[in-house]
Coordinates of all heavy atoms in Angstrom, one line a residue:
M1 N 15.9 61.6 129.1 CA 14.5 61.2 129.6 C 14.7 60.2 130.7 O 15.5 59.2 130.6 CB 13.8 60.7 128.4 CG 12.5 60.2 128.6 SD 11.6 59.8 127.1 CE 10.1 59.1 127.8
A2 N 13.9 60.4 131.7 CA 13.9 59.4 132.8 C 13.4 58.0 132.4 O 12.5 57.9 131.6 CB 13.1 60.0 134.0
S3 N 13.9 57.0 133.0 CA 13.3 55.6 132.7 C 12.1 55.5 133.6 O 12.0 55.8 134.8 CB 14.4 54.6 133.2 OG 15.5 54.7 132.3
L4 N 11.0 55.0 133.0 CA 9.8 54.9 133.7 C 9.3 53.4 133.7 O 9.6 52.7 132.7 CB 8.7 55.7 133.0 CG 9.0 57.2 132.9 CD1 8.0 57.9 132.1 CD2 9.0 57.8 134.3
I5 N 8.8 52.9 134.8 CA 8.3 51.6 134.9 C 6.8 51.7 135.2 O 6.4 52.5 136.1 CB 9.0 50.8 136.1 CG1 10.5 50.9 135.9 CG2 8.4 49.4 136.2 CD1 11.0 50.0 134.7
T6 N 5.9 51.0 134.6 CA 4.5 51.0 134.8 C 4.2 49.8 135.8 O 4.1 48.6 135.5 CB 3.7 50.8 133.5 OG1 4.2 51.9 132.7 CG2 2.2 50.9 133.8
C7 N 4.1 50.2 137.1 CA 3.6 49.3 138.1 C 2.2 48.9 137.9 O 1.3 49.8 137.7 CB 3.8 49.9 139.5 SG 3.1 48.8 140.9
P8 N 1.8 47.6 137.9 CA 0.4 47.3 137.7 C -0.5 47.8 138.8 O -1.8 47.8 138.6 CB 0.4 45.7 137.7 CG 1.7 45.3 138.2 CD 2.7 46.4 138.1
H9 N 0.0 48.2 139.9 CA -0.8 48.7 141.0 C -0.8 50.2 141.2 O -1.8 50.8 141.6 CB -0.3 48.1 142.4 CG -0.2 46.6 142.3 ND1 -1.3 45.7 142.3 CD2 0.8 45.8 142.2 CE1 -0.9 44.5 142.2 NE2 0.4 44.5 142.1
C10 N 0.3 50.8 140.8 CA 0.5 52.3 141.1 C 0.5 53.1 139.8 O 0.5 54.4 139.9 CB 1.8 52.6 141.8 SG 2.0 51.7 143.3
G11 N 0.7 52.5 138.7 CA 0.8 53.2 137.4 C 2.3 53.6 137.1 O 3.2 52.9 137.6
T12 N 2.5 54.5 136.2 CA 3.8 54.8 135.7 C 4.6 55.6 136.7 O 4.1 56.7 137.2 CB 3.7 55.6 134.4 OG1 3.0 54.8 133.4 CG2 5.1 55.8 133.7
R13 N 5.7 55.1 137.0 CA 6.6 55.7 138.1 C 8.1 55.7 137.6 O 8.5 54.9 136.9 CB 6.5 54.9 139.4 CG 5.0 54.7 139.9 CD 4.2 55.9 140.1 NE 4.7 56.5 141.4 CZ 4.0 56.5 142.4 NH1 2.7 55.9 142.4 NH2 4.3 57.1 143.6
P14 N 8.8 56.6 138.3 CA 10.3 56.6 138.0 C 11.0 55.4 138.5 O 10.6 54.9 139.6 CB 10.8 57.9 138.6 CG 9.9 58.2 139.6 CD 8.5 57.7 139.1
K15 N 12.0 54.9 137.7 CA 12.7 53.6 138.2 C 13.4 53.8 139.5 O 13.6 52.8 140.2 CB 13.7 53.2 137.1 CG 14.9 54.1 137.0 CD 15.9 53.4 136.1 CE 17.2 54.3 135.9 NZ 17.8 54.9 137.1
E16 N 13.6 55.0 140.0 CA 14.3 55.2 141.3 C 13.5 54.7 142.5 O 13.9 54.5 143.5 CB 14.6 56.6 141.5 CG 15.8 57.1 140.6 CD 15.4 57.4 139.1 OE1 14.2 57.5 138.8 OE2 16.4 57.5 138.3
E17 N 12.2 54.5 142.2 CA 11.3 54.0 143.3 C 11.4 52.5 143.4 O 10.9 51.9 144.4 CB 9.8 54.3 143.0 CG 9.4 55.7 143.0 CD 8.0 56.0 143.0 OE1 7.2 55.1 142.8 OE2 7.5 57.2 143.0
F18 N 12.1 51.8 142.5 CA 12.2 50.4 142.5 C 13.6 49.9 142.9 O 14.6 50.6 142.7 CB 11.8 49.8 141.1 CG 10.5 50.2 140.7 CD1 10.2 51.4 140.1 CD2 9.4 49.3 140.8 CE1 8.9 51.8 139.7 CE2 8.1 49.7 140.3 CZ 7.9 50.9 139.8
A19 N 13.6 48.7 143.4 CA 15.0 48.0 143.7 C 15.0 46.7 142.9 O 14.0 45.9 143.0 CB 15.1 47.7 145.2
I20 N 16.0 46.5 142.2 CA 16.2 45.3 141.3 C 16.7 44.2 142.3 O 17.7 44.4 142.9 CB 17.0 45.6 140.1 CG1 16.5 46.6 139.2 CG2 17.3 44.3 139.3 CD1 17.5 47.1 138.1
R21 N 16.1 43.1 142.2 CA 16.4 42.0 143.2 C 16.8 40.7 142.5 O 16.9 39.7 143.1 CB 15.3 41.8 144.2 CG 15.1 42.9 145.1 CD 16.3 43.2 145.9 NE 16.1 44.3 146.8 CZ 17.1 45.1 147.3 NH1 18.3 44.9 146.8 NH2 16.7 46.0 148.1
G22 N 17.0 40.8 141.2 CA 17.7 39.5 140.6 C 16.8 38.8 139.7 O 15.7 39.1 139.4
D23 N 17.5 37.8 139.0 CA 16.9 37.0 138.0 C 15.7 36.2 138.5 O 15.7 35.6 139.5 CB 18.0 36.0 137.6 CG 17.7 35.2 136.3 OD1 16.6 35.2 135.9 OD2 18.6 34.5 135.8
A24 N 14.6 36.4 137.7 CA 13.3 35.7 138.1 C 13.2 34.4 137.4 O 12.1 33.8 137.6 CB 12.2 36.7 137.8
E25 N 14.1 34.0 136.6 CA 13.9 32.7 135.7 C 14.2 31.5 136.4 O 13.7 30.4 136.0 CB 14.6 32.9 134.5 CG 13.9 34.1 133.7 CD 14.4 34.4 132.4 OE1 15.1 33.6 131.8 OE2 14.1 35.4 131.9
P26 N 15.2 31.4 137.4 CA 15.5 30.1 137.9 C 14.3 29.5 138.6 O 13.5 30.1 139.4 CB 16.6 30.4 139.0 CG 17.2 31.6 138.5 CD 16.1 32.4 137.9
R27 N 14.1 28.1 138.4 CA 12.9 27.5 139.0 C 13.4 26.8 140.3 O 14.5 26.1 140.4 CB 12.4 26.4 138.1 CG 12.0 27.1 136.7 CD 11.3 26.2 135.8 NE 10.0 25.9 136.4 CZ 9.1 24.9 136.0 NH1 9.5 24.3 135.0 NH2 8.1 24.7 136.6
R28 N 12.6 26.9 141.3 CA 12.9 26.3 142.6 C 12.8 24.8 142.6 O 11.8 24.3 142.2 CB 11.9 27.0 143.7 CG 12.2 26.5 145.1 CD 11.1 27.1 146.0 NE 11.3 26.7 147.3 CZ 12.0 27.3 148.3 NH1 12.5 28.5 148.0 NH2 12.1 26.9 149.5
P29 N 13.8 24.2 143.1 CA 13.7 22.6 143.1 C 12.7 22.2 144.1 O 12.4 23.0 145.0 CB 15.2 22.3 143.5 CG 16.0 23.4 143.4 CD 15.1 24.6 143.5
S30 N 12.4 21.0 144.0 CA 11.4 20.4 145.0 C 12.3 20.1 146.3 O 13.5 20.0 146.3 CB 10.9 19.1 144.6 OG 10.2 19.2 143.3
A31 N 11.5 19.9 147.4 CA 12.2 19.7 148.8 C 13.0 18.5 148.7 O 14.1 18.5 149.4 CB 11.2 19.7 149.8
G32 N 12.7 17.5 147.9 CA 13.5 16.2 147.9 C 14.5 16.2 146.9 O 15.2 15.2 146.7
D33 N 14.8 17.3 146.1 CA 15.8 17.3 145.1 C 17.2 17.2 145.7 O 17.4 17.5 146.8 CB 15.7 18.5 144.2 CG 14.5 18.3 143.1 OD1 14.1 17.2 142.9 OD2 14.2 19.3 142.5
R34 N 18.1 16.8 144.9 CA 19.5 16.7 145.3 C 20.1 18.0 145.6 O 19.7 19.0 145.1 CB 20.3 15.9 144.2 CG 19.7 14.5 143.9 CD 20.4 14.0 142.6 NE 21.8 14.2 142.6 CZ 22.6 13.5 142.0 NH1 22.2 12.5 141.3 NH2 23.9 13.8 141.9
D35 N 21.2 17.9 146.4 CA 22.0 19.1 146.8 C 22.4 20.0 145.6 O 22.4 21.1 145.6 CB 23.1 18.8 147.6 CG 22.7 18.4 149.1 OD1 21.5 18.5 149.4 OD2 23.5 17.7 149.7
E36 N 22.8 19.2 144.5 CA 23.3 20.0 143.3 C 22.2 20.9 142.7 O 22.6 21.9 142.2 CB 23.8 19.0 142.3 CG 25.1 18.2 142.7 CD 24.8 17.1 143.7 OE1 23.6 16.6 143.9 OE2 25.8 16.5 144.2
A37 N 21.0 20.4 142.7 CA 19.9 21.2 142.2 C 19.7 22.5 143.1 O 19.4 23.6 142.6 CB 18.6 20.5 142.2
W38 N 19.8 22.4 144.4 CA 19.6 23.4 145.3 C 20.9 24.4 145.2 O 20.7 25.7 145.2 CB 19.5 23.1 146.7 CG 18.1 22.6 147.0 CD1 17.6 21.3 147.0 CD2 17.0 23.4 147.2 NE1 16.3 21.3 147.2 CE2 15.8 22.6 147.3 CE3 16.8 24.8 147.2 CZ2 14.6 23.1 147.6 CZ3 15.5 25.3 147.5 CH2 14.4 24.5 147.7
L39 N 22.1 23.8 145.0 CA 23.2 24.7 144.9 C 23.2 25.5 143.6 O 23.4 26.7 143.7 CB 24.5 23.8 144.7 CG 25.8 24.5 144.6 CD1 26.3 25.2 145.8 CD2 26.9 23.6 144.0
G40 N 22.6 25.0 142.5 CA 22.5 25.7 141.4 C 21.4 26.9 141.4 O 21.6 27.9 140.9
Y41 N 20.3 26.5 142.1 CA 19.2 27.5 142.3 C 19.7 28.7 143.1 O 19.2 29.8 142.8 CB 18.0 26.7 143.0 CG 16.9 27.6 143.3 CD1 16.1 28.2 142.3 CD2 16.6 27.9 144.6 CE1 15.0 29.1 142.7 CE2 15.6 28.8 145.0 CZ 14.8 29.3 144.0 OH 13.8 30.2 144.4
V42 N 20.4 28.4 144.2 CA 20.7 29.4 145.2 C 22.0 30.3 144.6 O 21.8 31.5 144.8 CB 21.1 28.8 146.6 CG1 21.6 29.9 147.5 CG2 19.8 28.1 147.1
Y43 N 22.9 29.6 144.0 CA 24.1 30.4 143.7 C 24.5 30.6 142.3 O 25.3 31.5 142.0 CB 25.3 29.6 144.4 CG 25.3 29.7 145.9 CD1 25.0 28.5 146.6 CD2 25.5 30.8 146.6 CE1 24.9 28.5 148.0 CE2 25.4 30.9 147.9 CZ 25.1 29.7 148.6 OH 25.0 29.7 150.0
T44 N 23.9 29.8 141.3 CA 24.4 29.9 140.0 C 23.4 30.7 139.1 O 22.3 30.5 139.2 CB 24.5 28.5 139.4 OG1 25.4 27.7 140.2 CG2 25.0 28.5 137.9
R45 N 23.9 31.8 138.4 CA 23.1 32.6 137.6 C 23.9 32.6 136.2 O 25.0 32.7 136.0 CB 23.0 34.0 138.1 CG 22.1 34.0 139.4 CD 20.7 33.5 139.2 NE 19.9 33.5 140.3 CZ 19.7 32.5 141.1 NH1 20.2 31.3 140.8 NH2 18.9 32.5 142.2
D46 N 23.0 32.7 135.1 CA 23.6 32.7 133.8 C 24.1 34.0 133.3 O 25.0 34.1 132.5 CB 22.5 32.3 132.8 CG 22.1 30.8 132.9 OD1 22.9 30.0 133.4 OD2 20.9 30.5 132.5
N47 N 23.6 35.1 133.9 CA 24.1 36.5 133.6 C 24.0 36.7 132.1 O 24.9 37.2 131.5 CB 25.5 36.7 134.1 CG 25.8 38.2 134.2 OD1 24.9 39.0 134.3 ND2 27.1 38.5 134.2
R48 N 22.8 36.4 131.5 CA 22.6 36.5 130.1 C 22.5 38.0 129.7 O 22.1 38.8 130.4 CB 21.4 35.8 129.6 CG 21.4 34.3 129.9 CD 20.2 33.6 129.4 NE 19.0 33.9 130.2 CZ 17.9 34.5 129.8 NH1 17.8 34.8 128.5 NH2 16.9 34.8 130.6
K49 N 22.7 38.2 128.4 CA 22.6 39.5 127.8 C 21.3 39.4 127.0 O 20.9 38.4 126.4 CB 23.7 39.9 126.8 CG 25.0 40.1 127.5 CD 26.0 40.4 126.4 CE 27.5 40.5 127.0 NZ 28.5 40.6 126.0
G50 N 20.5 40.6 126.9 CA 19.3 40.6 126.1 C 18.1 40.7 127.0 O 18.0 41.2 128.1
R51 N 17.0 40.1 126.4 CA 15.7 40.1 127.0 C 15.7 39.1 128.2 O 15.8 37.9 128.1 CB 14.6 39.8 126.0 CG 13.3 40.3 126.2 CD 12.5 40.2 124.9 NE 11.1 40.5 125.2 CZ 10.2 40.9 124.3 NH1 10.7 41.2 123.1 NH2 9.0 41.2 124.7
I52 N 15.4 39.7 129.4 CA 15.4 38.8 130.6 C 14.2 39.2 131.5 O 13.6 40.2 131.3 CB 16.6 39.0 131.4 CG1 16.8 40.5 131.8 CG2 17.9 38.6 130.6 CD1 17.9 40.8 132.8
H53 N 14.0 38.3 132.5 CA 12.9 38.6 133.5 C 13.7 38.8 134.8 O 14.6 38.0 135.2 CB 12.0 37.5 133.7 CG 11.1 37.2 132.5 ND1 11.4 36.4 131.5 CD2 9.8 37.8 132.2 CE1 10.4 36.4 130.6 NE2 9.5 37.2 131.0
E54 N 13.3 39.9 135.6 CA 14.0 40.2 136.9 C 12.9 40.5 137.9 O 11.9 41.0 137.5 CB 14.9 41.4 136.8 CG 16.1 41.2 135.9 CD 16.8 42.6 135.8 OE1 16.2 43.6 135.5 OE2 18.0 42.5 135.9
Y55 N 13.2 40.2 139.1 CA 12.4 40.6 140.2 C 12.7 42.0 140.6 O 13.9 42.4 140.7 CB 12.6 39.8 141.5 CG 12.0 38.4 141.5 CD1 12.8 37.2 141.5 CD2 10.7 38.2 141.4 CE1 12.3 36.0 141.4 CE2 10.1 37.0 141.3 CZ 10.9 35.8 141.4 OH 10.4 34.5 141.3
W56 N 11.7 42.9 140.7 CA 11.8 44.3 141.1 C 10.9 44.4 142.3 O 9.7 43.9 142.2 CB 11.5 45.2 140.0 CG 12.5 45.3 138.9 CD1 13.1 44.3 138.2 CD2 12.9 46.6 138.2 NE1 13.9 44.9 137.2 CE2 13.8 46.3 137.2 CE3 12.6 47.9 138.4 CZ2 14.4 47.1 136.4 CZ3 13.2 48.8 137.6 CH2 14.1 48.4 136.6
H57 N 11.3 45.2 143.3 CA 10.5 45.4 144.4 C 10.2 46.9 144.4 O 11.1 47.9 144.3 CB 11.4 45.2 145.8 CG 10.6 45.4 147.0 ND1 11.0 46.2 148.0 CD2 9.4 44.9 147.3 CE1 10.1 46.2 148.9 NE2 9.1 45.5 148.6
H58 N 8.9 47.3 144.5 CA 8.4 48.7 144.3 C 8.5 49.2 145.8 O 7.5 49.5 146.5 CB 7.0 48.8 143.8 CG 6.7 50.2 143.3 ND1 5.5 50.5 142.9 CD2 7.4 51.3 143.4 CE1 5.5 51.8 142.6 NE2 6.7 52.4 143.0
A59 N 9.8 49.5 146.2 CA 10.1 50.0 147.5 C 9.5 51.3 147.9 O 9.1 51.6 149.0 CB 11.6 49.9 147.7
G60 N 9.5 52.2 146.8 CA 9.0 53.5 147.0 C 7.5 53.8 146.6 O 7.1 54.8 146.6
G61 N 6.8 52.6 146.6 CA 5.4 52.7 146.2 C 4.6 51.7 147.0 O 4.6 51.7 148.2
C62 N 4.0 50.8 146.2 CA 3.1 49.7 146.8 C 3.7 48.6 147.6 O 3.2 47.9 148.3 CB 2.2 49.2 145.8 SG 3.1 48.3 144.5
R63 N 5.2 48.5 147.5 CA 6.0 47.6 148.2 C 5.7 46.2 147.7 O 5.9 45.2 148.4 CB 5.9 47.7 149.7 CG 6.2 49.0 150.2 CD 6.5 49.2 151.7 NE 7.5 48.3 152.1 CZ 8.9 48.6 152.0 NH1 9.2 49.7 151.3 NH2 9.7 47.7 152.5
R64 N 5.0 46.0 146.5 CA 4.8 44.7 145.9 C 6.0 44.2 145.2 O 6.8 45.0 144.7 CB 3.6 44.8 145.0 CG 2.3 45.1 145.6 CD 1.6 44.0 146.3 NE 1.4 42.8 145.3 CZ 0.7 41.8 145.6 NH1 0.0 41.8 146.8 NH2 0.5 40.9 144.8
W65 N 6.1 42.9 145.0 CA 7.2 42.3 144.2 C 6.6 42.2 142.8 O 5.5 41.7 142.6 CB 7.6 40.9 144.8 CG 8.4 41.0 145.9 CD1 8.0 41.1 147.3 CD2 9.8 41.2 146.0 NE1 9.1 41.3 148.1 CE2 10.2 41.3 147.4 CE3 10.8 41.3 145.0 CZ2 11.5 41.5 147.8 CZ3 12.2 41.5 145.4 CH2 12.5 41.5 146.7
L66 N 7.4 42.6 141.8 CA 7.0 42.6 140.4 C 8.0 41.8 139.6 O 9.2 41.6 140.1 CB 7.0 44.0 139.9 CG 6.2 45.1 140.7 CD1 6.4 46.4 140.2 CD2 4.7 44.7 140.8
V67 N 7.6 41.3 138.4 CA 8.5 40.8 137.4 C 8.6 41.7 136.3 O 7.6 42.0 135.6 CB 8.1 39.3 137.0 CG1 9.1 38.8 135.9 CG2 8.3 38.4 138.3
V68 N 9.8 42.3 136.0 CA 9.9 43.2 134.9 C 10.7 42.4 133.7 O 11.7 41.9 134.0 CB 10.7 44.4 135.3 CG1 11.0 45.3 134.2 CG2 10.0 45.2 136.3
E69 N 10.1 42.4 132.6 CA 10.7 41.9 131.5 C 11.4 43.0 130.7 O 10.7 44.0 130.3 CB 9.7 41.2 130.5 CG 10.4 40.5 129.3 CD 9.5 39.8 128.4 OE1 8.3 39.9 128.5 OE2 10.0 39.1 127.5
R70 N 12.7 42.9 130.5 CA 13.5 44.0 129.9 C 14.7 43.6 129.2 O 15.1 42.4 129.4 CB 13.8 45.1 130.9 CG 15.0 44.7 131.9 CD 15.4 45.8 132.9 NE 16.5 45.4 133.7 CZ 17.7 45.8 133.5 NH1 18.0 46.7 132.6 NH2 18.7 45.4 134.3
D71 N 15.2 44.4 128.4 CA 16.5 44.1 127.7 C 17.6 44.7 128.5 O 17.6 46.0 128.6 CB 16.4 44.6 126.2 CG 17.6 44.1 125.4 OD1 18.8 44.2 126.0 OD2 17.4 43.7 124.3
N72 N 18.6 43.9 129.0 CA 19.6 44.5 129.8 C 20.7 45.1 129.0 O 21.6 45.7 129.6 CB 20.1 43.5 130.9 CG 20.8 42.3 130.2 OD1 20.9 42.2 128.9 ND2 21.1 41.3 131.1
L73 N 20.6 45.1 127.7 CA 21.5 45.9 126.8 C 21.0 47.2 126.5 O 21.7 48.2 126.4 CB 21.9 45.1 125.6 CG 22.7 43.8 125.8 CD1 22.9 43.0 124.6 CD2 24.0 44.1 126.5
T74 N 19.7 47.3 126.0 CA 19.2 48.5 125.6 C 18.3 49.2 126.6 O 17.9 50.4 126.5 CB 18.2 48.2 124.4 OG1 17.1 47.5 124.9 CG2 19.0 47.6 123.3
H75 N 17.9 48.6 127.8 CA 17.1 49.1 128.9 C 15.7 49.2 128.4 O 14.9 49.8 129.1 CB 17.6 50.3 129.5 CG 19.1 50.3 129.9 ND1 19.5 49.4 130.9 CD2 20.2 50.8 129.4 CE1 20.7 49.5 131.1 NE2 21.2 50.3 130.2
A76 N 15.2 48.6 127.3 CA 13.8 48.7 126.9 C 13.1 47.7 127.8 O 13.5 46.6 128.1 CB 13.8 48.2 125.5
V77 N 11.9 48.3 128.3 CA 11.0 47.5 129.1 C 9.9 47.0 128.3 O 9.2 47.7 127.6 CB 10.5 48.3 130.3 CG1 9.5 47.6 131.1 CG2 11.7 48.8 131.2
Y78 N 9.6 45.7 128.4 CA 8.6 45.0 127.5 C 7.3 44.7 128.4 O 6.3 44.5 127.8 CB 9.1 43.7 126.9 CG 10.3 44.0 126.0 CD1 11.6 43.7 126.4 CD2 10.2 44.5 124.7 CE1 12.7 43.9 125.6 CE2 11.2 44.8 123.9 CZ 12.5 44.5 124.3 OH 13.5 44.8 123.5
G79 N 7.5 44.6 129.6 CA 6.3 44.3 130.5 C 6.5 44.2 131.9 O 7.7 43.9 132.3
V80 N 5.5 44.4 132.7 CA 5.6 44.4 134.2 C 4.4 43.6 134.7 O 3.3 43.8 134.3 CB 5.6 45.7 134.8 CG1 5.8 45.7 136.3 CG2 6.7 46.6 134.2
T81 N 4.8 42.6 135.5 CA 3.7 41.7 136.0 C 3.9 41.6 137.6 O 5.0 41.6 138.1 CB 3.9 40.3 135.4 OG1 4.0 40.3 134.1 CG2 2.8 39.3 135.8
D82 N 2.8 41.5 138.3 CA 2.9 41.2 139.7 C 3.5 39.8 139.8 O 3.3 38.9 139.2 CB 1.5 41.2 140.3 CG 1.6 41.1 141.9 OD1 1.9 40.0 142.4 OD2 1.4 42.1 142.5
A83 N 4.5 39.6 140.8 CA 5.3 38.4 140.9 C 4.3 37.2 141.2 O 4.6 36.1 140.7 CB 6.3 38.6 141.9
A84 N 3.2 37.4 141.8 CA 2.3 36.4 142.1 C 1.6 35.9 140.9 O 1.2 34.8 140.9 CB 1.3 36.9 143.1
Q85 N 1.6 36.6 139.8 CA 1.0 36.3 138.6 C 2.0 35.8 137.5 O 1.6 35.3 136.4 CB 0.3 37.5 137.9 CG -0.7 38.2 138.9 CD -1.8 37.2 139.4 OE1 -2.3 36.5 138.6 NE2 -2.1 37.3 140.7
F86 N 3.3 35.8 137.9 CA 4.4 35.5 137.0 C 4.3 33.9 136.6 O 4.5 33.1 137.6 CB 5.7 35.9 137.5 CG 6.8 35.6 136.5 CD1 6.9 36.1 135.2 CD2 7.9 34.8 137.0 CE1 7.9 35.8 134.4 CE2 8.9 34.5 136.1 CZ 8.9 35.0 134.8
P87 N 4.2 33.6 135.4 CA 4.2 32.1 135.0 C 5.7 31.6 134.8 O 6.2 31.8 133.8 CB 3.4 32.1 133.7 CG 3.7 33.5 133.1 CD 3.8 34.3 134.3
K88 N 6.2 31.0 135.9 CA 7.6 30.6 135.9 C 7.8 29.6 134.9 O 8.9 29.5 134.3 CB 7.9 30.1 137.4 CG 7.7 31.1 138.5 CD 8.9 31.5 139.2 CE 10.2 30.9 139.1 NZ 11.2 31.6 139.9
A89 N 6.9 28.7 134.6 CA 7.2 27.7 133.6 C 7.5 28.3 132.2 O 8.4 27.8 131.5 CB 6.0 26.6 133.6
E90 N 6.8 29.3 131.8 CA 7.0 29.9 130.6 C 8.4 30.7 130.5 O 9.1 30.7 129.5 CB 6.0 30.9 130.3 CG 4.6 30.3 130.0 CD 3.5 31.3 129.6 OE1 3.9 32.5 129.3 OE2 2.4 31.1 129.8
A91 N 8.7 31.3 131.7 CA 10.1 32.0 131.7 C 11.3 31.1 131.4 O 12.2 31.5 130.9 CB 10.2 32.8 133.0
A92 N 11.1 29.9 131.9 CA 12.2 28.9 131.9 C 12.4 28.4 130.5 O 13.4 27.8 130.1 CB 12.1 27.8 132.8
E93 N 11.4 28.5 129.6 CA 11.5 28.0 128.2 C 12.4 28.8 127.4 O 12.6 29.9 127.5 CB 10.1 27.9 127.6 CG 9.3 26.9 128.4 CD 7.8 26.9 127.8 OE1 7.5 27.7 126.9 OE2 7.1 26.1 128.4
Ligands
ZN101 ZN1 3.6 49.8 142.8

């Protein structure tokens, strides 16, 4: 069975229309934060197992940036949100 992602703009589509663009959970430091904060934000990732939030780009559809909540061990998808609506503070908790 094909993996399907429900885009909030286009409806249910095959995952091949999307490009995974990485962890959506790191929080961007403020402009005045120390270099170590920026180093961690740009280069360091936890690479966790289990339920995660990722940026996905609907390259073969609406071309919007989305945040997909999924389990990277089972590939179960729990939710898809437009990236502009993604509450970053909750994801970091
Ligand atoms: Zn779409």
Side-chain angles (χ1 to χ4, degrees):
M1 182 173 169
S3 294
L4 301 173
I5 304 294
T6 302
C7 174
H9 307 287
C10 305
T12 302
R13 309 298 285 254
K15 71 172 177 48
E16 289 77 14
E17 290 188 3
F18 298 83
I20 301 174
R21 293 300 183 208
D23 191 350
E25 297 184 13
R27 300 188 69 188
R28 184 182 176 94
S30 302
D33 280 348
R34 299 168 44 155
D35 290 346
E36 291 79 14
W38 281 98
L39 180 71
Y41 174 72
V42 174
Y43 293 109
T44 305
R45 294 296 179 263
D46 292 335
N47 200 22
R48 292 181 297 119
K49 294 178 184 174
R51 203 163 169 157
I52 59 170
H53 293 90
E54 293 175 313
Y55 285 117
W56 286 45
H57 183 234
H58 196 180
C62 61
R63 304 195 59 80
R64 296 281 303 192
W65 285 91
L66 309 171
V67 173
V68 175
E69 183 179 9
R70 72 179 183 105
D71 190 311
N72 60 6
L73 293 175
T74 66
H75 304 292
V77 175
Y78 299 103
V80 182
T81 307
D82 189 284
Q85 308 300 318
F86 179 59
K88 301 243 345 171
E90 289 180 20
E93 294 175 358

